[in-house]
């Protein structure tokens, strides 16, 4: 089983959007038993809070539920428990490496690195553009799933 943890600053917008998009893609591919998918924050600002309402609405527009999700913080132990820790931007990556004591096993990546347009996932907290964030998360998750299923099919 491949364990994936999506990470952003507060765990109320981008990382839960990626978490639930990836869960839906895995479900559509009938591969639920092959993956464990979750998300976390690098900060403590939103701990215990639900997914931000505009992010929740954007997911719902696409038939994706995030009911029951509350923000939690990344821990050093997550590095050992997860196979991949996927950050949304370079700021997240720096904090993830600091919190995990580095990245000796090469588990930490940017989500958009799994696409044809590497970079950062649009941050709707500042832009208000949840559609752009949804598109980035969808594209990144599709690329990640393709990469992981191509690898597993060759094994």
């Amino acid at each position: 089983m491949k364990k994936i943890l999506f990470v952003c600053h507060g765990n109320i917008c981008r990382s839960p959007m990626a978490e639930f998009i990836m869960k839906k893609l895995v479900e559509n591919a009938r591969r639920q038993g092959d993956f464990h998918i979750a998300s976390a924050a690098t900060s403590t600002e939103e701990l215990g809070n639900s997914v931000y309402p505009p992010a929740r609405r954007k997911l719902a527009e696409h038939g994706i539920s995030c009911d029951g999700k509350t923000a939690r913080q990344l821990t050093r132990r997550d590095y050992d428990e997860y196979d991949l820790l996927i950050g949304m931007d370079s700021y997240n990556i720096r904090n993830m490496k600091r919190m995990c004591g580095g990245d000796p096993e090469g588990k930490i990546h940017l989500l958009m690195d799994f696409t044809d347009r590497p970079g950062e996932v649009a941050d709707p907290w500042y832009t208000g553009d949840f559609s752009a964030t949804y598109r980035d998360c969808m594209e990144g998750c599709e690329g990640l799933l393709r990469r992981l299923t191509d690898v597993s099919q060759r094994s």
Side-chain angles (χ1 to χ4, degrees):
M1 175 174 291
K2 188 64 90 172
K3 295 180 180 180
I4 304 165
L5 184 66
F6 294 101
V7 181
C8 70
H9 182 75
N11 194 215
I12 61 167
C13 293
R14 293 178 293 172
S15 61
M17 287 178 82
E19 172 188 351
F20 288 96
I21 287 169
M22 188 69 167
K23 285 178 175 178
K24 184 68 169 175
L25 292 172
V26 165
E27 178 186 326
N28 291 347
R30 295 190 169 106
R31 303 283 305 258
Q32 299 96 310
D34 298 336
F35 295 93
H36 173 79
I37 302 159
S39 64
T42 58
S43 77
T44 59
E45 295 168 29
E46 300 289 347
L47 297 184
N49 289 339
S50 299
V51 175
Y52 192 54
R56 186 177 30 249
R57 284 192 297 273
K58 182 53 65 179
L59 289 170
E61 284 176 23
H62 296 275
I64 300 172
S65 172
C66 59
D67 289 348
K69 171 65 182 172
T70 57
R72 77 160 183 95
Q73 189 175 33
L74 173 73
T75 66
R76 187 176 284 252
R77 188 174 59 217
D78 287 326
Y79 191 85
D80 296 325
E81 292 183 12
Y82 287 87
D83 301 302
L84 291 170
L85 290 86
I86 309 294
M88 303 296 120
D89 62 36
S90 57
Y91 178 74
N92 301 148
I93 297 294
R94 277 192 306 278
N95 284 333
M96 291 162 67
K97 288 180 178 178
R98 179 184 50 77
M99 294 170 78
C100 293
D103 185 18
E105 297 178 44
K107 296 180 175 186
I108 297 176
H109 303 275
L110 279 169
L111 180 59
M112 296 306 288
D113 285 350
F114 297 97
T115 73
D116 292 334
R117 50 181 193 93
E120 300 186 344
V121 172
D123 190 343
W125 190 256
Y126 299 104
T127 66
D129 188 350
F130 286 84
S131 293
T133 303
Y134 181 86
R135 281 190 305 271
D136 286 352
C137 288
M138 178 60 80
E139 187 177 340
C141 288
E142 287 173 337
L144 176 58
L145 184 58
R146 250 189 324 277
R147 176 92 48 92
L148 293 174
T149 55
D150 286 349
V151 168
S152 69
Q153 289 172 2
R154 283 182 279 180
S155 299

